Amino acid sequence: MRVAFVSLYPDQRRSDGATRRARRVAERLAARGHDVVFLCAQWWEGPLDAFEQHDVQYVAVTETPSARAFASKLPFALRRADPDVIHAANSPPSQVAAARTAARVLRVPVVVDWWARRDDDTERMCRRAAKSASRVLAPSRLVKTDVREYGATADDVEIVPESIDFDLVRDAEVDTRADLVYARRLDEHANVESFLLALAELRDRDWRAVVVGDGPERGTAEETAAELRIDDRVSFLGALDPEEFVPILKGAHVFAQTATVDPFPRGLLWGLACGCVGIVEYQARSSAHELVESRERGALVTSPQELADEVVAAAGQDRRTVNEAFARYDHETVLDGYESVYEDEIDDYGFF
């Protein structure tokens, strides 16, 4: 199958949840033997119009990340790519409309992987993008609701979650340096302060905690830990690869999720798969609650005090290093879901 990915911003140029998701899917499809071309703004140096990395062929539609120029040139690039299916990121939405224009000529489906609306995306264009797709994929029920509000029907939106390496979860060693873990990019939505305030409520108890992740708010979080006089028991480890991260999760007992915005909390998924009790502070713009609802090893809270209370309650649950209930989130299983969507949509066009 020849799959054309469309994203003005590739992960190599601007890394966020949407671009990382697109890159992972493209590389894993290529690893399965699919022919994958990624149409984007150029991110490599030199005069080359195309660049191959991890078996994915990146093609520069524009030299700079201009949404208008990208949308105007994209139909011609897609005709040259001649894909069986087009996989487009939802933002900027003008690229979805442009992909749809090319798809009508090529008679191929457009699958839109929807993550989040960026600041420059207008509601009008988001509505147009949602209605331009043959199928919309969403990582969570929260995002599915967003897409439906932009005009997509329930039948046109399918949930395909984020994925993890479950073999790594099973095989990794156990690192017992921490009892409690917070893990996420430390940006304006991280809300790591709630986690630290909960720990401060428990300063009379015996615990060790780590914060995994980096970002512009790391310094503020470290200052908060010092002001709360818990900095000697909280280690800020920065960004870690899964091979470093997973052993720590397997040795921990609780994973706390407090971010205010998160289309899909992949760090929490890793923690739950590694046997942690997941404690989620409910936030209207985060889907984290979806992973712990109705689960014995999960709890929802609404404040740092409630989070602290649930940490105490979690001590009554046994420690685990693997939770097989989350094996369905393995990379290969989730990739099967992408392939099924592509095949179904191609079938509708009579080409598969």
Side-chain angles (χ1 to χ4, degrees), residues 58-325:
Y58 290 87
V59 174
V61 178
T62 58
E63 292 184 7
T64 59
S66 165
R68 179 175 295 182
F70 187 80
S72 67
K73 295 180 179 181
L74 181 63
F76 304 101
L78 281 168
R79 290 183 192 182
R80 290 192 295 271
D82 192 26
D84 298 310
V85 61
I86 299 169
H87 176 127
N90 70 285
S91 178
S94 57
Q95 70 189 12
V96 178
R100 186 60 179 171
T101 298
R104 290 193 181 101
V105 175
L106 296 171
R107 294 189 55 79
V108 298
V110 178
V111 174
V112 176
D113 208 348
W114 204 285
W115 185 259
R117 174 180 173 180
R118 293 192 176 108
D119 292 340
D120 294 337
D121 300 341
T122 67
E123 182 170 349
R124 180 183 67 83
M125 287 303 295
C126 286
R127 289 185 175 277
R128 186 178 176 188
K131 295 176 181 179
S132 294
S134 307
R135 184 83 63 91
V136 180
L137 305 182
S140 60
R141 297 197 307 271
L142 173 75
V143 177
K144 180 175 182 175
T145 299
D146 289 344
V147 181
R148 292 193 62 191
E149 289 176 353
Y150 289 129
T153 66
D155 290 342
D156 289 337
V157 186
E158 184 164 335
I159 294 176
V160 178
E162 284 282 73
S163 62
I164 57 175
D165 183 349
F166 209 82
D167 285 338
L168 175 61
V169 172
R170 293 188 181 105
D171 298 340
E173 300 295 324
V174 177
D175 183 332
T176 59
R177 78 177 76 178
D179 305 295
L180 304 106
V181 177
Y182 173 102
R184 189 190 183 276
R185 174 167 168 74
L186 302 183
D187 58 19
E188 69 272 24
H189 305 302
N191 191 28
V192 70
E193 292 81 5
S194 281
F195 176 59
L196 298 174
L197 287 169
L199 295 181
E201 295 288 337
L202 301 171
R203 63 166 54 87
D204 293 334
R205 293 178 176 268
D206 182 24
W207 52 263
R208 298 160 301 159
V210 297
V211 174
V212 177
D214 213 340
E217 296 301 314
R218 178 175 174 175
T220 300
E222 291 177 336
E223 290 175 8
T224 300
E227 291 168 0
L228 293 171
R229 302 190 307 279
I230 57 173
D231 52 315
D232 59 329
R233 300 165 69 184
V234 181
S235 299
F236 288 81
L237 304 182
L240 300 178
D241 292 331
E243 289 76 13
E244 303 170 278
F245 178 40
V246 168
I248 296 171
L249 291 175
K250 292 183 71 170
H253 191 47
V254 169
F255 187 104
Q257 175 77 20
T258 59
T260 57
V261 177
D262 212 327
F264 190 100
R266 193 160 176 256
L268 174 62
L269 175 60
W270 278 110
L272 294 170
C274 291
C276 292
V277 176
I279 304 177
V280 173
E281 185 175 50
Y282 179 81
Q283 306 287 352
R285 294 305 305 158
S286 170
S287 69
H289 61 279
E290 298 176 23
L291 287 176
V292 299
E293 285 173 341
S294 304
R295 293 189 182 275
E296 180 183 355
R297 297 179 69 79
L300 284 175
V301 300
T302 58
S303 68
Q305 181 60 63
E306 289 183 8
L307 199 161
D309 292 341
E310 288 296 337
V311 169
V312 174
Q317 297 203 47
D318 62 313
R319 284 183 174 263
R320 299 182 187 176
T321 57
V322 179
N323 189 337
E324 291 288 342

